Amino acid sequence: MQKHYSFQGVTLVTPDSVLENSSIGIEGKRIGSVGNADKHFVDYSGTLYVYPGLINIHDHLRGDYLPRVGPKNRAYYVNWSYWDNDLKGSDVVAERSNISVDQMYYLSAYKNLFSGVTTVNDHFPHEFNEPFIPHLPIRVISDYTLAHECSSYDLGWGDGVEIEHRRAVKRNHPFITHLEEGFDQESQQGIDYLESLNILDDHCVFIHCLGFSEEDIRKTSEAGAHVSWCPGSNIFMFNVTCKIREMLEAGINVSIGTDSTATGSVNLLEEVRFARRIYREMYQEDIPAETLVHMITRNPAKAFRMDDRIGRIEPGMFADLLFLRPRRADPYEALVEARMEDIALLTLEGKPIYGEADFHPIFEQREVDGEMLNVADRRMLVAGEPAGLLRTVRKAVGFEKHLDYLPFSMTEDES
Ligand SMILES: [Zn+2]
């Protein structure tokens, strides 16, 4: 028999609609029922808003270290390669080199987990991340093909743009590439280049798109290609981001990504609020909270061609669920304004990976091993050993390192 648990009296944000005072039943790995679930499994107090587990469309899972590394004296970059040079010679990378790649992948996974993310894409090619993905506490997608960027100075990943794209079409995977991350002449020609190869289509997921012209936006929209918007990283490196309002008006499927913490926001929740703030600065108007919520749930699921499994709450979908204690009555505002300490429970394919101690019976039912942590004066259970990881990192770098995306306090911090 499949393992089952359910909740009643919760608000479900599907996210296309809001179902108040509803219920949800989880059967094995999937959502079994919505709106007619039977008796609840655990007693919980207070209000819970439930969302699809968040999806971070772009991160660098071996690069989530702090502090950021960027241009000095507001001399912003012309393209990403200048940043790459600064990064390589930085004190931060020297410090980071004491930590194993395996540990870096775990740090990134926890950065995402503690902000409600259950699915993420890693910037790097398969041969870089394959050994690490299976052990991580969240889903890192492995069904994708990629090119680093379509420029002469790109990192030459994969088998080249055309072969990688053809492979994506054949396998029904996304073809992911950085595009127009800069303002030199070559960076500006990304769309034209793909068009000349006849591979501009709905498999394409473009990261950054800073140099996009009105014409590029029109072509991207017509092709049904997808865009990953990383405003925190863009503003930090280039003091500008893509023409986001024009992209939305053109009907492009846009998702928000954090990029790594070497340049982007500290996690996806912070990135969403930064996106809202920068949009207001650019256009003197608000981007609706609902639009932002779509950009971290159903939009990236569509871009990854996984929208039959993740990104929405409905029967049959994976039970990747984020339960929040809302700080706003409006369910879309509640997610946009959420902080790490507002998370009550996070599940991945029905398995709890992070949650309040009250939800312990679900951890027991699903046989999840973890640690008990203090997060903003609450006792939280988390899958795996993030406190053990932080202890190892501190030992490796030789001091009491703090990473802003890890919200728990440890006894040595308190002393
Ligand atoms: Zn990247």
Side-chain angles (χ1 to χ4, degrees):
M1 208 181 83
Q2 279 199 329
K3 286 181 178 168
H4 165 87
Y5 60 94
S6 59
F7 294 84
Q8 287 183 327
V10 292
T11 295
L12 305 177
V13 186
T14 69
D16 294 309
S17 58
V18 175
L19 309 173
E20 282 174 26
N21 195 17
S22 189
S23 66
I24 183 163
I26 289 95
E27 304 281 347
K29 291 181 171 192
R30 293 180 189 269
I31 297 169
S33 58
V34 168
N36 57 355
D38 58 7
K39 63 176 177 20
H40 59 80
F41 186 83
V42 281
D43 285 316
Y44 54 91
S45 57
T47 307
L48 289 178
Y49 284 8
V50 190
Y51 306 83
L54 307 185
I55 304 171
N56 182 0
I57 195 167
H58 190 68
D59 199 342
H60 295 204
L61 299 194
R62 53 176 69 202
D64 284 320
Y65 205 65
L66 288 163
R68 284 168 154 182
V69 176
K72 292 163 198 81
N73 308 318
R74 299 179 68 81
Y76 294 103
Y77 297 137
V78 174
N79 63 48
W80 63 270
S81 68
Y82 295 84
W83 170 75
D84 207 42
N85 282 333
D86 279 356
L87 183 75
K88 280 172 183 149
S90 69
D91 295 343
V92 183
V93 164
E95 182 185 310
R96 200 180 83 187
S97 67
N98 293 298
I99 302 164
S100 72
V101 179
D102 185 44
Q103 287 160 350
M104 286 307 303
Y105 270 89
Y106 274 104
L107 284 176
S108 294
Y110 282 110
K111 158 197 158 177
N112 281 288
L113 180 152
F114 285 118
S115 62
V117 172
T118 46
T119 302
V120 65
N121 179 232
D122 183 20
H123 159 103
F124 294 98
H126 295 287
E127 57 269 33
F128 283 47
N129 58 34
E130 251 164 20
F132 310 109
I133 286 178
H135 314 292
L136 299 175
I138 61 167
R139 179 186 299 109
V140 181
I141 72 161
S142 48
D143 291 346
Y144 66 93
T145 74
L146 95 172
H148 174 247
E149 202 192 37
C150 305
S151 66
S152 58
Y153 50 82
D154 100 336
L155 299 173
W157 291 343
D159 294 323
V161 177
E162 286 175 281
I163 293 175
E164 291 286 337
H165 181 272
R166 200 177 311 136
R167 204 170 273 157
V169 173
K170 199 170 152 205
R171 297 177 183 167
N172 193 28
H173 289 175
F175 166 72
I176 302 172
T177 185
H178 295 69
L179 205 69
E180 306 203 9
E181 188 182 6
F183 300 96
D184 59 288
Q185 212 192 353
E186 202 181 336
S187 291
Q188 305 264 357
Q189 290 166 354
I191 287 291
D192 293 337
Y193 178 64
L194 295 173
E195 202 182 32
S196 71
L197 297 174
N198 204 21
I199 60 173
L200 177 61
D201 66 12
D202 64 352
H203 286 267
C204 295
V205 179
F206 300 137
I207 303 150
H208 301 309
C209 311
L210 297 180
F212 268 26
S213 63
E214 304 271 323
E215 187 71 358
D216 291 338
I217 291 171
R218 186 183 60 74
K219 287 175 179 173
T220 300
S221 167
E222 278 173 18
H226 313 269
V227 165
S228 159
W229 182 31
C230 307
S233 175
N234 298 158
I235 298 292
F236 180 69
M237 289 168 71
F238 303 101
N239 201 29
V240 72
T241 189
C242 61
K243 297 183 180 70
I244 182 65
R245 184 171 70 180
E246 291 79 355
M247 288 185 180
L248 295 174
E249 282 170 358
I252 295 175
N253 182 50
V254 178
S255 308
I256 294 175
T258 55
D259 220 349
S260 79
T261 57
T263 54
S265 304
V266 86
N267 62 30
L268 191 60
L269 297 175
E270 297 296 329
E271 190 74 42
V272 168
R273 272 193 298 286
F274 184 82
R276 174 178 247 190
R277 199 163 69 237
I278 202 70
Y279 191 96
R280 197 177 289 145
E281 274 177 31
M282 287 166 72
Y283 302 109
Q284 289 78 52
E285 64 181 37
D286 278 323
I287 185 168
E290 186 174 354
T291 305
L292 292 166
V293 169
H294 288 174
M295 289 177 172
I296 51 175
T297 53
R298 61 164 215 194
N299 295 7
K302 188 177 176 199
F304 289 151
R305 310 178 86 78
M306 295 173 76
D307 51 347
D308 59 339
R309 284 159 279 169
I310 61 171
R312 276 174 299 126
I313 292 179
E314 66 179 51
M317 304 286 275
F318 277 138
D320 295 358
L321 299 168
L322 167 62
F323 294 70
L324 279 188
R325 303 256 181 224
R327 56 174 73 206
R328 294 279 186 280
D330 178 274
Y332 298 107
E333 288 291 339
L335 181 52
V336 171
E337 289 301 320
R339 306 297 198 272
M340 287 190 280
E341 58 267 29
D342 300 338
I343 296 176
L345 178 67
L346 185 68
T347 67
L348 174 71
E349 297 187 13
K351 241 167 126 168
I353 51 175
Y354 179 50
E356 292 171 1
D358 285 352
F359 298 114
H360 200 193
I362 306 174
F363 283 77
E364 277 193 335
Q365 186 204 63
R366 299 302 173 105
E367 297 168 15
V368 176
D369 287 332
E371 286 178 331
M372 188 74 86
L373 302 170
N374 286 320
V375 177
D377 297 326
R378 282 184 307 151
R379 300 288 284 162
M380 302 293 287
L381 267 162
V382 61
E385 299 177 344
L389 174 67
L390 182 56
R391 248 178 249 119
T392 312
V393 167
R394 287 177 169 182
K395 217 170 160 187
V397 299
F399 68 102
E400 298 283 280
K401 182 74 180 174
H402 283 266
L403 292 160
D404 293 342
Y405 49 77
L406 300 179
F408 53 87
S409 55
M410 299 212 297
T411 33
E412 51 262 53
D413 296 338
E414 289 154 1
S415 62

